[in-house]
């Protein structure tokens, strides 16, 4: 594959273009490869000749994909908005009794205010409806849920009164007594089911509903928040996509996670010991399909399926949780004192995140003598942590007090809020092509051991192409000497940057843009995005999460302007990631999608993602479609690698559907405006060590819709290994892209010429 050194001029003659074309190879992470013979193939020659005629015509996607004849982004969102509609179906007038071996639940169910037949699911022709009910016992002394029982032996509906009646027969005297003591009964379900995934207990429908009826003393209050779940999942939060996390019951009292307790009661044996095995011994997990868990493993990893265990384990072990499990505040905001109380400091709590061998390894590595507590699994489970862990080493003091130490102080202050960095001014000397930038940092409140003078900034200057939102000169690119084009970290060297001053948290730095004087002169560059990525480390050397500011500088006006309003809201990223980039890059990149775009730009291929661009639209769409990184590096002979690949491509976006609004601002879902978004480079297909039907595709240049919108669709085909399925698969998709847009084999200089041709039309 090609490395693009320095972009050629837009008005380059064909003869100069031919001389510049080569056949080099990429190095790692954008490092240049070794340039090869500049000779080009007859095929590439034909493509370049065709470019002077009509090959790179604008995409015509918007002609059909306008929401009328064919779907567009708005219709994707509209389809999602039909799911999970709150308040359309309601449960009311619940009643419950248990006597003489029979439990009876009555309630009324309506849809849009009209009576609704709760027995609808018994008809084979109405399988789009789902309903269930549970009774759960409650112990007010311990605040626990000892047992549960389904209440649905039989169902009946009185059309005259709209009363639904569920009955459970064959109860013992003890069960009847328990049902008349303390607890609750719930009814739950959804109508107009769109899809079901029984393996994941997912029932996706349009109209969920739930009701709760409390019995006796029912004063349970969770240490977690449903709003924490809504950060990443559906709004309203629906466990398994159809069971409400909070129910507006008849008692106007909190019901957070009551409906979850109907199944996840405290004495139920856990059914996913494989999650812990996955964390402790991935190779053993990969073998479970052919060699089931042994009796010894079942004893070792036994746990109760109470909500804490299943939620902690699934997020810490099974799923690719998008932030640190240290960050207890995500789910327990305002309740950390309860979640981290001393009575929670026990082996069960620790195992729920660390696994059995994981917590034993942590304890063995600690600077205290824990050996007596981890001699056996039984010793571990019998440990009373609070015998020693009080005061400074109490549970509430561990793990940063419930806050991710990359993002927060131990008292919950965000480093990004406390250490803001601002770009203060900029000026440009057209005679010398020198861009002077001034920026500074401040400290809102004193944080021991940290100061603005410790910040080490990286300055980036991306040069926008034409009037588009994309960069024609990538700051993160490299010159022939392997230096970044317009990226400079204080303390390093770059021939295009000069430090005028750097003291007391203020900096003045000059960038020399002489290399691009022709672009500034011919108008192909009119603006620059100036960005600062601030690096601040604590005493442990941890890079803390700060926000990276940026401003757009207009060369003609000599001042900043409001130019590009991102179509993505950073708050959408942070609902799942909390502080952008802390878990997948480093904390210097937070708070600003425009700064992400300076590196994730259109002229570079997706080096880790096949058939994708490095541009942020392609990259993020592919990542959230769970396309795997570096699939060509997966070793087919390694069962763990193949297991992890399978897990990855089978993952679900946590909103469970194409919810564009998760990330995008409203009204920004459709085909890109080609006058505002330049062509991009897509990587070729990887060669894998395992068999698949996906064939060879070269690195190509595409239009913005193929790059951005097509990213999700390519990922879907790649993950399913669908080269030519019933609908034509990837081959048909690529053909569609090429017919109504363009996919042109790439080489050095081809992207430049296509950009010049397409952008000249606007």
């Amino acid at each position: 594959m090609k490395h693009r050194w320095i972009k050629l001029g837009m008005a380059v003659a064909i003869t100069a273009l031919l001389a510049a074309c080569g056949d080099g190879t990429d190095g790692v992470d954008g490092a240049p490869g070794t340039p090869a013979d500049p000779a080009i193939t007859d095929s590439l020659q034909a493509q370049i000749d065709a470019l002077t005629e009509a090959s790179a015509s604008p995409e015509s996607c918007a002609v059909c994909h306008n929401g009328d004849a064919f779907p567009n982004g708005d219709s994707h969102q509209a389809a999602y908005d039909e799911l999970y509609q709150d308040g359309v179906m309601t449960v009311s007038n619940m009643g419950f009794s248990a006597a003489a071996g029979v439990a009876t639940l009555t309630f009324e169910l309506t849809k849009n205010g009209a009576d609704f037949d709760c027995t609808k699911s018994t008809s084979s022709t109405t399988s789009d409806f789902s309903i269930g009910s549970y009774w759960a016992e409650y112990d007010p002394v311990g605040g626990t849920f000892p047992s549960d029982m389904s209440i649905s032996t039989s169902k009946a509906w009185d059309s005259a009164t709209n009363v639904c009646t569920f009955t459970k027969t064959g109860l013992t005297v003890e069960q009847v007594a328990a049902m008349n003591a303390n607890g609750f009964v719930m009814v739950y379900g959804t109508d107009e089911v769109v899809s079901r995934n029984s393996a994941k207990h997912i029932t996706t429908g349009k109209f969920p509903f739930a009701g709760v009826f409390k019995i006796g003393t029912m004063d349970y209050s969770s240490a977690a928040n449903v709003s924490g779940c809504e950060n990443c999942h559906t709004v309203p939060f629906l466990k398994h996509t159809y069971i409400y996390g909070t129910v507006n019951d008849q008692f106007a009292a909190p019901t957070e996670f009551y409906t979850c307790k109907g199944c996840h009661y405290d004495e139920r044996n856990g059914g996913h010991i494989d999650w812990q095995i996955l964390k402790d011994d991935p190779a053993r997990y990969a073998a479970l399909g052919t060699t089931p868990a042994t009796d010894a493993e079942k004893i070792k990893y036994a746990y109760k399926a109470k909500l804490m265990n299943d939620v902690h384990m699934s997020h810490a072990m099974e799923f690719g949780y998008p932030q640190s499990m240290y960050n207890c505040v995500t789910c327990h905001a305002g309740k950390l004192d309860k979640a981290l109380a001393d009575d929670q400091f026990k082996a069960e709590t620790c195992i729920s995140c660390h696994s059995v061998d994981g917590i034993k390894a942590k304890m063995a590595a600690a600077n205290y003598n824990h050996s007596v507590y981890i001699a056996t699994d039984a010793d571990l489970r019998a440990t009373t942590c609070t015998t020693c862990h009080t005061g400074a080493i109490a549970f509430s003091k561990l793990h940063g007090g419930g806050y991710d130490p990359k993002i927060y102080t131990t008292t919950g202050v965000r480093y990004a809020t406390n250490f803001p960095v601002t770009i203060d001014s900029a000026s440009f000397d057209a005679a010398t092509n020198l861009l002077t930038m001034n920026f500074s940092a401040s400290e809102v409140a004193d944080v021991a051991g940290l100061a603005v003078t410790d910040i080490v900034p990286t300055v980036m200057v991306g040069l926008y192409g034409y009037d588009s939102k994309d960069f024609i000169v990538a700051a993160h690119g490299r010159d022939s000497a392997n230096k970044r084009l317009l990226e400079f970290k204080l303390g390093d060297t770059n021939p295009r940057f000069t430090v005028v001053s750097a003291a007391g948290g203020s900096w003045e730095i000059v960038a020399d843009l002489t290399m691009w004087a022709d672009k500034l002169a011919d108008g192909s560059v009119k603006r620059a995005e100036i960005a600062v990525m601030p690096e601040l480390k604590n005493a442990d050397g941890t890079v803390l999460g700060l926000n990276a500011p940026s401003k757009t500088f207009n060369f003609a006006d000599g001042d900043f302007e409001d130019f590009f309003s991102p179509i993505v809201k950073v708050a959408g990223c942070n609902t799942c990631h909390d502080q952008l980039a802390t878990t997948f890059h480093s904390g210097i990149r937070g708070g600003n999608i425009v700064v992400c775009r300076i590196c994730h730009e259109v002229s570079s291929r997706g080096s880790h993602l096949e058939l994708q661009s490095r541009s942020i639209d392609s990259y993020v769409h592919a990542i959230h479609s769970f396309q795997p990184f570096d699939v060509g590096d997966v070793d087919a002979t390694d069962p763990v690698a193949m297991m992890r690949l399978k897990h990855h491509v089978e993952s679900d976006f946590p909103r469970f559907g194409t919810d564009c609004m998760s990330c995008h601002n409203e009204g920004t879902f459709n085909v890109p405006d080609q006058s505002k978004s330049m062509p991009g480079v897509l990587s070729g297909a990887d060669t894998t060590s395992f068999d698949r039907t996906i064939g060879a595709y070269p690195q190509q240049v595409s239009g913005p819709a193929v790059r951005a919108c097509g990213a999700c669709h390519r990922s879907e085909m790649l993950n399913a290994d669908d080269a030519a399925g019933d609908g034509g698969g990837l081959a048909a998709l690529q053909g569609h892209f090429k017919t109504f847009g363009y996919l042109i084999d790439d080489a050095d200089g081809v992207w430049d010429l296509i950009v010049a041709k397409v952008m000249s039309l606007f």
Side-chain angles (χ1 to χ4, degrees):
M1 293 184 179
K2 309 300 303 165
H3 180 82
R4 183 165 289 100
W5 297 93
I6 304 172
K7 301 300 177 192
L8 302 176
M10 291 299 99
V12 65
I14 290 294
T15 52
L17 172 64
L18 297 180
C21 291
D23 192 24
T25 57
D26 269 338
V28 177
D29 190 28
T34 303
D37 190 299
I40 57 175
T41 65
D42 291 341
S43 173
L44 181 57
Q45 176 70 64
Q47 291 181 67
I48 293 174
D49 290 343
L51 289 176
T52 64
E53 299 171 5
S55 291
S57 298
E59 296 173 322
S60 58
C61 312
V63 174
C64 293
H65 290 280
N66 53 27
D68 296 326
F70 298 100
N72 63 359
D74 285 340
S75 56
H76 283 340
Q77 184 64 45
Y80 182 84
D81 290 342
E82 288 189 332
L83 302 175
Y84 322 126
Q85 294 184 48
D86 193 20
V88 174
M89 297 190 71
T90 60
V91 177
S92 62
N93 297 324
M94 292 182 69
F96 181 75
S97 64
V102 178
T104 303
L105 167 66
T106 58
F107 60 93
E108 294 177 32
L109 184 61
T110 61
K111 181 177 181 180
N112 285 317
D115 295 352
F116 192 92
D117 181 359
C118 68
T119 65
K120 177 182 170 184
S121 60
T122 61
S123 168
S124 61
T125 62
T126 55
S127 60
D128 63 338
F129 177 67
S130 177
I131 192 169
S133 180
Y134 275 92
W135 162 81
E137 180 184 9
Y138 179 62
D139 175 9
V141 176
T144 60
F145 293 82
S147 64
D148 80 339
M149 185 180 298
S150 174
I151 309 295
S152 57
T153 301
S154 66
K155 304 172 184 176
W157 177 61
D158 186 334
S159 60
T161 62
N162 193 37
V163 173
C164 297
T165 304
F166 285 8
T167 57
K168 177 74 172 181
T169 59
L171 302 179
T172 65
V173 172
E174 291 78 14
Q175 288 171 331
V176 169
M179 288 182 172
N180 283 295
N182 306 300
F184 72 93
V185 179
M186 70 174 191
V187 61
Y188 63 93
T190 188
D191 190 33
E192 298 191 31
V193 173
V194 174
S195 63
R196 300 176 192 263
N197 186 330
S198 58
K200 296 182 179 181
H201 305 289
I202 290 175
T203 300
T204 300
K206 296 182 179 180
F207 306 111
F209 58 87
V212 168
F213 184 87
K214 298 180 181 180
I215 307 163
T217 300
M218 188 62 232
D219 57 0
Y220 172 76
S221 179
S222 176
N225 302 302
V226 165
S227 59
C229 305
E230 290 177 342
N231 283 337
C232 282
H233 297 296
T234 60
V235 180
F237 171 61
L238 297 162
K239 183 171 170 59
H240 303 304
T241 73
Y242 73 113
I243 304 175
Y244 274 89
T246 297
V247 178
N248 295 322
D249 72 316
Q250 302 168 74
F251 299 93
T255 60
E256 284 193 309
F257 303 110
Y258 277 34
T259 50
C260 303
K261 294 290 187 178
C263 290
H264 293 273
Y265 62 95
D266 294 342
E267 295 304 318
R268 174 186 168 190
N269 291 325
H272 293 285
I273 67 169
D274 52 312
W275 292 343
Q276 293 187 68
I277 294 173
L278 174 61
K279 188 159 189 173
D280 279 349
D281 189 351
R284 176 68 186 104
Y285 176 93
L288 285 176
T290 55
T291 310
T294 65
D295 289 342
E297 287 171 329
K298 292 177 182 177
I299 293 171
K300 174 180 180 178
Y301 291 112
Y303 74 98
K304 296 298 181 182
K306 62 176 63 175
L307 200 57
M308 179 198 74
N309 281 332
D310 269 359
V311 171
H312 282 189
M313 287 181 184
S314 61
H315 287 71
M317 302 169 194
E318 182 192 20
F319 305 135
Y321 189 54
Q323 57 180 274
S324 171
M325 287 296 290
Y326 274 72
N327 218 23
C328 309
V329 70
T330 296
C331 298
H332 301 281
K335 301 178 181 179
L336 284 174
D337 57 339
K338 186 174 182 179
L340 301 178
D342 285 348
D343 63 356
Q344 298 298 318
F345 199 5
K346 50 192 174 185
E348 180 184 42
T349 306
C350 301
I351 289 170
S352 71
C353 285
H354 293 283
S355 72
V356 173
D357 286 346
I359 193 59
K360 288 166 69 175
K362 289 281 186 183
M363 293 171 72
N367 296 323
Y368 302 96
N369 182 16
H370 286 100
S371 59
V372 66
Y373 304 113
I374 58 176
T376 68
D377 295 335
D379 291 330
L380 173 63
R381 295 182 187 278
T383 297
T384 303
C385 304
T386 52
T387 300
C388 299
H389 284 276
T390 59
I393 55 172
F395 191 33
S396 60
K397 302 297 182 182
L398 299 179
H399 305 95
Y403 298 98
D404 184 347
K406 291 183 179 180
I407 302 173
Y408 300 92
T409 68
T410 56
T411 58
V413 176
R414 284 182 176 270
Y415 292 113
T417 302
N418 200 63
F419 293 98
V421 177
T422 58
I423 297 172
D424 302 318
S425 63
S427 61
F428 181 66
D429 187 335
T432 60
N433 294 306
L434 296 181
L435 177 64
T436 301
M437 300 161 285
N438 294 274
F439 52 97
S440 59
S442 58
E443 185 173 353
V444 175
D446 181 62
V447 176
L450 297 174
V452 293
T453 52
D454 300 322
I455 292 175
V456 179
T458 294
V459 181
M460 304 179 75
V461 180
L463 302 183
Y464 286 105
Y466 303 91
D467 287 312
S468 82
K469 64 183 178 60
D470 293 320
F471 299 104
I472 201 166
V473 175
H476 199 62
R478 294 181 186 270
D479 62 17
S480 57
N482 201 27
K483 288 289 187 180
R484 296 292 184 193
L485 293 179
L486 285 169
E487 178 180 329
F488 169 66
K489 182 177 181 179
L490 197 71
D492 294 345
T493 59
N494 185 310
R496 284 166 290 281
F497 286 89
T498 301
V499 178
V500 177
S501 62
S506 294
W507 300 268
E508 181 173 319
I509 293 178
V510 176
D512 186 348
L513 306 184
T514 300
M515 286 180 64
W516 303 280
D518 58 335
K519 297 183 184 303
L520 291 163
D522 66 20
S524 55
V525 169
K526 302 176 182 179
R527 301 171 180 86
E529 191 69 24
I530 300 171
V532 177
M533 298 191 297
E535 182 182 86
L536 179 63
K537 296 181 179 180
N538 63 15
D540 297 329
T542 300
V543 177
L544 306 177
L546 301 187
N547 287 337
S550 73
K551 285 187 176 181
T552 304
F553 183 82
N554 187 303
F555 289 105
D557 297 340
D559 202 356
F560 297 123
E561 67 169 319
D562 292 329
F563 169 60
F564 170 56
S565 179
I567 65 174
V568 172
K569 51 194 177 189
V570 72
C573 305
N574 286 344
T575 53
C576 280
H577 297 283
D578 195 19
Q579 174 72 13
L580 194 61
T582 53
T583 53
F584 54 86
H585 269 311
S586 68
I588 66 176
R589 297 169 172 85
N592 192 340
I593 301 298
V594 178
V595 175
C596 301
R597 294 182 61 260
I598 290 181
C599 284
H600 286 278
E601 43 76 34
V602 296
S603 72
S604 299
R605 65 179 178 85
S607 57
H608 297 290
L609 290 164
E610 59 179 343
L611 302 186
Q612 304 292 357
S613 171
R614 191 177 184 179
S615 177
I616 194 72
D617 44 18
S618 177
Y619 227 65
V620 170
H621 284 175
I623 288 171
H624 289 85
S625 298
F626 294 93
Q627 181 179 333
F629 274 27
D630 303 312
V631 69
D633 295 340
V634 176
D635 182 358
T637 65
D638 183 349
V640 174
M642 293 302 290
M643 173 268 294
R644 294 198 185 283
L645 175 63
K646 182 175 184 290
H647 277 196
H648 190 85
V649 300
E650 292 178 350
S651 297
D652 295 293
F653 185 60
R655 295 282 190 191
F656 299 104
T658 307
D659 181 19
C660 306
M661 284 291 291
S662 295
C663 304
H664 284 264
N665 290 310
E666 190 168 1
T668 62
F669 317 142
N670 290 326
V671 174
D673 180 345
Q674 293 178 82
S675 69
K676 302 299 182 185
S677 186
M678 298 195 306
V681 180
L682 307 181
S683 59
D686 282 353
T687 301
T688 62
S689 62
F690 52 89
D691 292 334
R692 66 174 185 168
T693 65
I694 300 297
Y697 290 91
Q699 180 170 315
Q700 296 178 308
V701 178
S702 82
V706 170
R707 182 186 71 241
C709 306
C712 292
H713 297 285
R714 287 190 297 272
S715 294
E716 181 181 1
M717 302 294 184
L718 290 165
N719 288 353
D721 189 23
D722 182 3
D726 292 341
L730 183 62
L733 182 71
Q734 293 288 89
H736 181 79
F737 290 158
K738 191 168 186 176
T739 299
F740 298 100
Y742 50 94
L743 282 171
I744 300 172
D745 291 358
D746 186 38
D748 282 347
V750 171
W751 177 82
D752 307 85
L753 192 60
I754 295 172
V755 167
K757 179 175 182 181
V758 171
M759 300 311 293
S760 70
L761 301 175
F762 306 110

